[in-house]
């Protein structure tokens, strides 16, 4: 999406943003060390911690999409069309292979919350069916595709992913699968070297009607991947 | 196959983004190799000619450093260059310069260790001659390095090969920023993560060809140089 957005940001604000693509956990760590000016993340709890620690200010909702559960077309756990919690319970009951990001990313944290809500305690070290791979969404999807495993992914990565092999989308549309993205400015009082004036302009543009429209316009294979919702900001 | 063809199509169509990526890859890897050679070859020669207690331990240590894990070096350089690290004020993190720094650290032991071996072998031949001429240690090192220069090309190529193939450290300190710190290897990693395996494979083939071209060029220099000598 940034390939679509950045030239527009550059044209409208004069800012050349440099994107370092990391999972939310790693991105917030990078910002905690003062090595980022703005973070664009999706893990409400970790974001709240980051702001409470004084590393970030002005957390704003910017857009959302949703998570989906994908898995082998044969669907041995029989989760197709179900809500996400019963689906996870069925995977657990059948001891079906499940690939987890295992990297403290926003998607990984969302997955862990869902297991918890489903009343299941997963243990990556001892559960043979649960494979925490400690990698990004793409590599994790590659592993799931190669081993016919179930996996939770955000819809944008799923649509853009080109190596789906035998994987198909099985569970979607549950309100628990909502995936909210936020923008946070790195606190200039805590990190004086951060380029906060530019960071603020960058954020303001993405929250402006024009920036929001550009987010909505981004499409892959004809599908809209992200839904702007900055107006809902508290 | 279709997308492998498309990787080559990018080359033939002169895709500017691809050329920028290739240019950055070559620039960073060759820059690191050059820096490492300027430091490593004299260091290797110095160790070859020196006799001091614990020398064997230093030689073993230097050889072991050839196996430095790139992600560890990347992480160490990251912590140094981070804005909250000791060299944070330099503002080098997530720049091509940071990538040259990590690769120099990775390549340096390779060039130093291989130079040490080459110079030590040559020293056995030259020892009496140079001793009879009564030349000082600096001149000795210079003479030996100069006379071994064609053999040292292999050390440089080994170093370059390490740098050109490396992804673990540069993705940490460079950040794989599009149009700025994205190299061939980080692009291949990225395309693999997008599931675009044929394009990733195609780019891998192009990278192999580039490394081959550099090796052919080095071989040619060596051939011409050797002939010129006679």
């Amino acid at each position: 999406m940034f390939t679509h957005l950045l030239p527009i940001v550059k044209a409208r604000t004069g800012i050349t943003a440099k994107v370092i693509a990391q999972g939310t956990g790693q991105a917030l760590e990078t910002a905690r060390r003062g090595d980022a000016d703005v973070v664009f993340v999706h893990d409400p709890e970790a974001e709240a911690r980051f702001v409470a620690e004084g590393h970030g200010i002005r957390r704003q909702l910017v857009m959302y999409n949703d998570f989906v559960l994908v898995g082998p077309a044969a669907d041995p756990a029989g989760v197709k069309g179900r809500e996400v919690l019963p689906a996870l319970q069925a995977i657990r009951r059948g001891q079906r292979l499940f690939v987890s990001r295992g990297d403290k990313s926003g998607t990984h944290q969302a997955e862990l919350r869902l297991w918890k809500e489903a009343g299941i305690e997963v243990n990556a070290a001892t559960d043979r069916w649960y494979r925490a791979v400690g990698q990004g969404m793409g590599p994790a999807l590659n592993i799931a595709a190669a081993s016919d495993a179930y996996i939770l992914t955000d819809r944008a990565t799923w649509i853009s992913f080109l190596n789906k092999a035998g994987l198909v989308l099985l569970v979607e549309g549950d309100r628990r699968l909502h995936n909210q993205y936020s923008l946070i400015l790195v606190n200039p009082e805590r990190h004086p070297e951060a380029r906060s004036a530019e960071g603020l302009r960058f954020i303001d543009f993405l929250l402006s009607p024009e920036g929001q429209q550009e987010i909505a316009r981004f499409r892959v294979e004809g599908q809209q991947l992200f839904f702007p919702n900055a107006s809902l900001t508290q | 196959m279709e997308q492998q063809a498309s990787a080559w199509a990018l080359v033939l169509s002169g895709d500017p983004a691809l050329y920028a990526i290739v240019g950055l890859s070559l620039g960073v890897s060759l820059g690191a190799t050059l820096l490492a050679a300027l430091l490593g070859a004299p260091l290797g020669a110095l160790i070859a000619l020196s006799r001091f207690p614990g020398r064997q331990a230093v030689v073993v240590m230097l050889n072991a450093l050839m196996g430095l894990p790139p992600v560890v070096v990347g992480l160490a350089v990251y912590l140094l260059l981070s804005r909250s690290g000791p060299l944070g004020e330099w503002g080098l993190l997530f720049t091509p310069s940071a990538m040259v720094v990590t690769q120099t650290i990775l390549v340096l032991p390779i060039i130093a260790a291989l130079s040490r071996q080459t110079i030590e072998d040559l020293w056995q031949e030259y020892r009496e001659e140079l001793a009879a001429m009564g030349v000082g240690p600096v001149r000795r090192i210079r003479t030996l390095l100069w006379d071994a220069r064609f053999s040292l090309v292999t050390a440089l190529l080994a170093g370059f090969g390490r740098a050109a193939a490396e992804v673990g450290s540069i993705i940490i300190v460079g950040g794989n920023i599009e149009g700025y710190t994205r190299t061939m290897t980080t692009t291949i990693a990225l395309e693999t993560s997008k599931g675009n395996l044929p394009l990733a494979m195609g780019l891998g083939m192009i990278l192999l060809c580039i490394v081959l071209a550099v090796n052919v060029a080095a071989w040619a220099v060596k051939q011409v140089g050797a002939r010129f000598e006679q």
Side-chain angles (χ1 to χ4, degrees):
Chain A
M1 181 181 66
F2 286 108
T3 312
H4 162 75
L5 277 183
L6 292 186
I8 299 164
V9 170
K10 168 87 179 152
R12 304 289 292 138
T13 68
I15 292 172
T16 309
K18 292 180 186 146
V19 176
I20 297 153
Q22 300 180 335
T24 293
Q26 197 188 357
L28 293 176
E29 271 319 307
T30 300
R32 278 193 178 94
R33 301 193 58 83
D35 295 322
D37 306 315
V38 170
V39 286
F40 198 144
V41 287
H42 66 132
D43 180 356
E45 284 176 27
E47 291 162 28
R49 256 195 323 275
F50 181 77
V51 172
E53 290 163 3
H55 289 290
I57 53 174
R58 294 166 161 265
R59 171 175 175 256
Q60 312 245 31
L61 308 185
V62 56
M63 65 187 199
Y64 67 92
N65 67 357
D66 61 344
F67 297 113
V68 293
L69 184 68
V70 303
D75 190 16
V79 304
K80 188 171 174 56
R82 302 177 78 165
E83 291 196 341
V84 67
L85 298 186
L88 291 180
Q89 284 154 354
I91 291 168
R92 164 74 178 79
R93 211 174 311 118
Q95 307 268 305
R96 303 298 174 185
L97 274 188
F98 184 94
V99 168
S100 166
R101 293 276 295 272
D103 64 351
K104 298 208 165 175
S105 59
T107 305
H108 179 220
Q109 302 291 8
E111 176 218 307
L112 292 180
R113 273 194 291 279
L114 289 170
W115 284 114
K116 212 169 168 186
E117 286 174 38
I120 295 165
E121 221 174 281
V122 285
N123 185 333
T126 53
D127 289 333
R128 302 280 316 242
W129 58 276
Y130 183 86
R131 297 188 174 164
V133 297
Q135 300 185 58
M137 197 70 253
L141 279 167
N142 276 327
I143 292 168
S147 51
D148 272 334
Y150 292 91
I151 181 169
L152 186 78
T153 169
D154 66 287
R155 191 187 292 269
T157 307
W158 171 248
I159 291 172
S160 321
F161 189 65
L162 295 170
N163 182 35
K164 295 189 173 80
L167 297 183
V168 295
L169 195 159
L170 295 167
V171 174
E172 63 181 326
D174 189 325
R175 64 176 174 79
R176 293 176 197 277
L177 294 173
H178 183 77
N179 181 22
Q180 177 66 51
Y181 289 82
S182 308
L183 281 163
I184 307 176
L185 183 69
V186 170
N187 186 354
E189 282 175 24
R190 183 72 171 261
H191 300 286
E193 330 77 14
R195 276 160 289 206
S196 53
E198 290 87 344
L200 200 54
R201 263 162 52 215
F202 177 78
I203 291 176
D204 284 348
F205 175 74
L206 290 182
L207 300 180
S208 73
E210 190 188 354
Q212 292 276 289
Q213 207 181 346
E214 289 301 338
I215 288 171
R217 259 193 18 191
F218 177 61
R219 265 151 228 271
V220 171
E221 318 238 326
Q223 295 188 62
Q224 179 174 350
L225 296 194
F226 298 101
F227 299 84
N229 65 345
S231 52
L232 298 178
T233 300
Q234 314 88 340
Chain B
M1 279 317 281
E2 199 178 63
Q3 252 148 345
Q4 254 185 54
S6 89
W8 292 107
L10 287 178
V11 176
L12 296 176
S13 68
D15 180 69
L18 179 66
Y19 279 81
I21 287 170
V22 169
L24 182 70
S25 278
L26 279 176
V28 167
S29 301
L30 288 173
T33 307
L34 187 70
L35 271 176
L38 289 175
L39 298 167
L43 177 68
L46 185 66
I47 296 172
L49 267 58
S50 307
R51 291 293 174 270
F52 53 89
R55 179 176 176 278
Q56 284 308 315
V58 169
V59 169
V60 170
M61 178 68 82
L62 191 60
N63 289 343
L65 286 177
M66 289 196 284
L68 268 178
V71 314
V72 175
V73 173
L75 191 56
V77 172
Y78 175 88
L79 292 173
L80 275 178
L81 297 182
S82 166
R83 279 179 185 163
S84 54
L87 305 180
E89 283 168 32
W90 296 3
L92 287 181
L93 190 63
F94 303 138
T95 65
S97 308
M99 306 200 293
V100 173
V101 171
T102 56
Q103 293 210 325
T104 302
I105 295 170
L106 288 169
V107 172
L108 183 67
I110 296 176
I111 294 182
L114 297 180
S115 304
R116 201 265 320 153
Q117 188 64 57
T118 305
I119 298 297
E120 205 165 297
D121 294 345
L122 196 63
W123 175 232
Q124 304 302 330
E125 270 178 51
Y126 282 33
R127 176 179 244 149
E128 287 175 14
E129 202 180 328
L130 285 174
M133 286 161 67
V135 293
V138 175
R139 278 266 320 267
R140 281 182 201 178
I141 288 178
R142 248 195 293 173
T143 308
L144 286 166
L145 281 175
W146 179 250
D147 284 8
R149 64 192 181 281
F150 295 120
S151 313
L152 290 177
V153 168
T154 307
L156 296 196
L157 287 175
F160 172 75
R162 161 88 146 178
E166 196 270 325
V167 59
S169 81
I170 54 172
I171 207 160
I172 295 177
V173 303
N176 193 23
I177 299 167
E178 187 176 1
Y180 187 54
T181 55
R182 187 163 295 173
T183 66
M184 285 300 280
T185 54
T186 63
T187 305
I188 292 167
L190 180 67
E191 289 306 328
T192 305
S193 82
K194 288 182 186 167
N196 201 344
L197 309 188
L199 179 60
M201 198 65 208
L203 291 170
M205 294 299 156
I206 292 170
L207 178 58
L208 265 177
C209 291
I210 293 166
V211 172
L212 180 64
V214 169
N215 277 268
V216 169
W219 173 82
V221 167
K222 208 167 155 176
Q223 292 301 108
V224 171
R227 195 161 306 159
F228 194 70
E229 289 269 282
Q230 291 163 3

